Every structure is written in structure tokens, then in C-alpha cells.
Amino acid sequence: MFLDSDLLMSALRALTPILLAALGGALCERAGVFNIGLEGMMLLGCFTSVATSWFTGSPWLGVLAAALAAAAYSLILAVGAVTLKGDAVVLGIAMNLLAVGLTSFLLRTVFGVQGTFDDPSLQGLPLIGGFSPLAHLSWAAVAVTALLLSRHVWGLRLRGVGEAPDAAATLGVRPATYQYGVILLSGVLCGLAGAQLALGNVTLFTENMTAGRGWIAVVAVMLGRAAPLGVLLAALLFGLAEAAGFRLQGLGLPQQATDAAPYVVTLGALFLTTARRRRTPRPSGARS
């Protein structure tokens, strides 16, 4: 049967990197920062986790290094968009392009190989109930994020910063502090997403191995309207599409067609969401 428990397990494994990155993007969105640099931070997390795990022999040090490296990398967006008031979209695109070139250069410099680094001594993450600990962490992060945004004073202030920063400032809230905080946190989450992809889903690093998952995470933020539960459902949709693609490949479909499955679903979801919003009637008195 095409739809079975194995497909669901595969989908849950596939959604973890997307979900972690999308939660970081959702927090940035709530603070008024449109973060499309998720792809670059994820890719840097992939390389850093593999390199650190290989040199130290510890996948957990690889996870820690990935989180720290991606957080440091996110400072480009924080300084550029918050302090220098630059365009966050332009900065995010630049970060994504830089990460592709930087990781390819480091792959050749550190390991002396091109394309893919795969070594039998490379340690991956252990499994708990068929999933890595980072997968369990991502599910818990959804509940924690939802609770913080709806109940905790920090979350309420964060939403205020995103919706009305000037009004929040008059109440003694420093918008820049909150924006710096969530951008750094998104870096940590993207680093964990990269570690999951490189040490949890597989145990290797290949050039541009994120393959658009960071962009899919941005779409998940948009589809979920930056709400944790909505982001989870969107990430699950893309996880199912990726798992179905692998299953169809096993049934004999060309790899090029099955690899495109998550992106076809992404375009379809964006199209349906846009069409629905256009059909939604505006309230009376709204500006055209």
C-alpha cells in the first residue's frame, strides 16, 4: 500500500528540518523581520555539524557547533536590518548565496573533496523511538512557542514590536532588543535544522544539501501565518510531499520528477492561499 505507517514515519523525519527553520522564521515574522535567510543558515549548520562531529567524534558537539555557527551567521541580518536599517530581503538573499559558496569552499579546504563528504567514522545522531532527539525537540518547540506567544509577557511584547513598534517603544519596550533576540534564536533553530538534516536524516555533507528546504520553511511561515500550529501543519504537508516523492521513486518514477514533489506542493499551496485571500471580501470602509 502506498499510504502506510512507513510513509508517515518518513514524513515526520522529513518535516523536522523544515519545522525547526520555520519556527525561527515565524518568530522573526512576529517581530516584524521578514527572514528569508533560513536556507543559508541551515546550510552552514549542515557543514558545521558534519565537520565538528568528524573532528571531535561527537555528534552532540556537532549539533552545538551548528547552532552557534548559524547564530553567529544570523548577525549579518540582525546588524544589517535592525541596526543599519537595510532591506531584510536583500540581506537574506545575499546570506543564502554566500552560504552556498562558503560551504563549497570549506568543503574543498577542510576535507579536500568536491561534491560530497562521507566517511564511515562520521557519527550520526542516535534514535529515540525511530526519531532523533532533535525531532522530539522540534515538536516540543511548537508547544513552547505557542505558549510563549499567547500567554507569556515576552511573547505579547514581541507581537507588539512586530505590529506597532513605535507604540511598544512608548511603553518602555526596546524593539531592537527583541528583534536581535529572535534573529539570533532563528539562527540557533536553523543550525539545529541543518544538524538534523546532515546528522539525523543522513550522515554526510554534500554541496547545497538543503536543496531549497529553507525556502520551503519561508513558505511554511507564510502559509501558517507565523502561528506555531499553522507552521507545523504546513511543514507536515511538505514532509508528506517529500516522503511521497521518495516512495514514488521506489516505484519506478524518474528521480527528477520525484525530487520536484515538495516544490510542486509549495507552488500549489501558495496559489491556493493567494486565490483564497483574493476571494475574501474586504470589510466595508477598507482602502482599495
Side-chain angles (χ1 to χ4, degrees):
M1 295 179 62
F2 185 81
L3 299 175
D4 54 22
S5 59
D6 289 339
L7 181 68
L8 179 59
M9 293 283 286
S10 180
L12 291 175
R13 284 190 290 268
L15 79 83
T16 300
I18 298 173
L19 178 58
L20 286 168
L23 286 174
L27 288 172
C28 290
E29 182 73 17
R30 287 302 183 98
V33 179
F34 186 41
N35 186 354
I36 64 171
L38 307 177
E39 175 89 357
M41 290 186 283
M42 280 182 65
L43 185 58
L44 187 63
C46 289
F47 178 83
T48 305
S49 64
V50 168
T52 304
S53 179
W54 187 74
F55 279 111
T56 64
S58 171
W60 295 114
L61 289 178
V63 171
L64 177 61
L68 294 176
Y73 194 61
S74 71
L75 285 173
I76 297 176
L77 177 63
V79 174
V82 178
T83 302
L84 302 180
K85 307 300 181 183
D87 191 315
V89 173
V90 174
L91 287 168
I93 294 174
M95 290 172 65
N96 292 338
L97 295 175
L98 175 60
V100 173
L102 180 60
T103 53
S104 297
F105 170 76
L106 290 175
L107 182 62
R108 293 165 174 78
T109 303
V110 176
F111 297 113
V113 298
Q114 296 183 9
T116 301
F117 173 75
D118 184 10
D119 191 282
S121 64
L122 185 62
Q123 298 293 316
L125 293 171
L127 298 181
I128 302 175
F131 301 98
S132 79
L134 292 181
H136 296 279
L137 176 64
S138 68
W139 306 331
V142 173
V144 172
T145 303
L147 182 63
L148 286 176
L149 290 176
S150 61
R151 301 289 183 179
H152 198 273
V153 63
W154 179 87
L156 298 176
R157 289 177 178 176
L158 180 69
R159 292 164 56 185
V161 166
E163 296 171 5
D166 293 336
T170 60
L171 298 176
V173 177
R174 299 179 61 181
T177 300
Y178 279 81
Q179 290 172 337
Y180 259 82
V182 293
I183 291 174
L184 287 171
L185 183 56
S186 74
V188 171
L189 291 171
C190 285
L192 296 179
Q196 167 64 26
L197 185 59
L199 297 179
N201 291 8
V202 294
T203 312
L204 55 83
F205 176 81
T206 186
E207 294 185 46
N208 198 26
M209 70 180 299
T210 48
R213 288 178 177 83
W215 293 104
I216 292 178
V218 173
V219 175
V221 174
M222 298 168 63
L223 292 180
R225 300 193 176 185
L229 182 57
V231 167
L232 171 62
L233 295 176
L236 180 59
L237 173 65
F238 300 131
L240 284 169
E242 183 173 336
F246 288 131
R247 178 65 60 87
L248 291 172
Q249 184 178 337
L251 296 176
L253 267 69
Q255 180 182 354
Q256 293 80 1
T258 57
D259 287 347
Y263 311 106
V264 172
V265 170
T266 300
L267 292 174
L270 281 175
F271 175 79
L272 292 175
T273 303
T274 303
R276 184 183 63 184
R277 289 177 180 175
R278 288 181 176 178
R279 289 196 302 267
T280 302
R282 295 189 177 188
S284 59
R287 294 183 179 180
S288 59

